[in-house]
Amino acid sequence: MCHVIVTCRSMLWTLLSIVVAFGELIAFMSTDWLVGSPRTPDAVFSPHGATAAGEAYRPTLGIYGRCIKLPHLQRGVLCGPYAAHFGEIASGFWQAAAIFLAAGILLLCAVAFISVFTMCFQSIMKKSIFNVCGLLQAIAGLFLILGLMLYPAGWGSDKVQLYCGQDAAPYRSGLCTMGWAFYTAMGGTVLTFVCAVFSAQAEIATSSDKGGMMLQLDSEVLYLAVRVLQVLSQCIHLSLTLLHLSGNVLQ
């Protein structure tokens, strides 16, 4: 039998932890960090800007991927990684940002995985599982902040100037604008610290008899938790598969 303690605060913390981890992962994989200046697929660049016939579009550039329109294909805008390996990422600052962001996302995914089981287990080695997860989320938030601070420092790279013009420089995006992925990563970072603080409230709620209920459930509870994790893993796997397929199309 499994003793399951469910409170509004603990359930909200669990759901928010999962949403934050998934949101940061999607933002990291996205190419919509920088939105380039309008151009056409067969644009010719001159000191006066891009000039060519055809329908204009705005290319996007991510940490390791980009979306462009190829003139010889009629499939619209194609997206995929521009870096075949880690060393080909646009700049050293972006490489460092990718490391910090990946480390933070890894911790958030681990907390999201553990949070599903907090309904059944409230301690690990006599330590509150909520406090441990809150500490991990705070550390993940610091990694994310470092990554987001290093990311604009790489705007002076040749890759960014190709998309944003010669005016692009560290912490100056030139002709580019910020895409939704950057703002999603920033919002996710804020929510990461909210989760870290809220974990203490979840601990208080599950430690008292007020505002919660204890249920006696059998193995169906564990089965349900496993099913939730399987759905999350399938969503992540599908996102990675789509990104890989789009990269193969470009190649």
Side-chain angles (χ1 to χ4, degrees):
M1 301 294 287
C2 178
H3 296 278
V4 180
I5 300 178
V6 180
T7 68
C8 292
R9 281 177 284 182
S10 64
M11 183 61 66
L12 180 59
W13 173 79
T14 298
L15 293 176
L16 191 58
S17 297
I18 294 173
V19 169
V20 167
F22 193 69
E24 286 285 351
L25 180 61
I26 293 299
F28 180 76
M29 295 189 302
S30 173
T31 61
D32 288 84
W33 285 73
L34 281 175
V35 180
S37 57
R39 65 182 66 179
T40 54
D42 51 347
V44 177
F45 290 92
S46 69
H48 303 289
T51 59
E55 183 180 356
Y57 78 105
R58 302 192 70 176
T60 59
L61 180 65
I63 296 177
Y64 63 91
R66 82 287 192 247
C67 286
I68 58 175
K69 180 177 288 188
L70 301 179
H72 59 279
L73 294 178
Q74 301 298 325
R75 300 179 182 177
V77 177
L78 299 180
C79 301
Y82 67 80
H85 52 81
F86 184 77
E88 291 185 357
I89 292 179
S91 71
F93 289 109
W94 280 18
Q95 293 174 5
I99 292 175
F100 283 116
L101 291 174
I105 293 170
L106 181 63
L107 288 177
L108 290 179
C109 290
V111 171
F113 179 85
I114 297 172
S115 66
V116 178
F117 297 97
T118 56
M119 294 183 295
C120 290
F121 309 100
Q122 275 73 52
S123 62
I124 300 177
M125 300 178 63
K126 298 182 179 181
K127 300 292 184 180
S128 169
I129 193 171
F130 292 102
N131 293 338
V132 172
C133 288
L135 177 61
L136 291 177
Q137 287 175 326
I139 296 174
L142 294 177
F143 283 144
L144 295 176
I145 287 177
L146 289 174
L148 291 176
M149 290 177 62
L150 288 171
Y151 170 72
W155 288 349
S157 65
D158 295 336
K159 173 68 71 172
V160 175
Q161 290 182 351
L162 181 63
Y163 284 73
C164 304
Q166 296 299 318
D167 292 335
Y171 299 97
R172 190 172 62 186
S173 60
L175 299 177
C176 289
T177 58
M178 306 310 302
W180 66 264
F182 180 78
Y183 294 112
T184 300
M186 289 184 62
T189 302
V190 174
L191 290 178
T192 297
F193 287 103
V194 172
C195 287
V197 174
F198 201 67
S199 65
Q201 294 298 318
E203 163 66 17
I204 295 173
T206 54
S207 299
S208 79
D209 295 330
K210 296 180 180 181
M213 57 181 178
M214 180 177 289
L215 306 176
Q216 292 282 344
L217 298 178
D218 54 16
S219 58
E220 293 182 358
V221 175
L222 296 179
Y223 174 77
L224 179 61
V226 171
R227 290 297 300 169
V228 171
L229 292 176
Q230 287 177 344
V231 172
L232 289 174
S233 63
Q234 289 174 358
C235 292
I236 294 174
H237 177 72
L238 178 61
S239 300
L240 293 173
T241 301
L242 292 175
L243 184 63
H244 178 70
L245 289 175
S246 62
N248 289 338
V249 171
L250 281 177
Q251 295 174 358

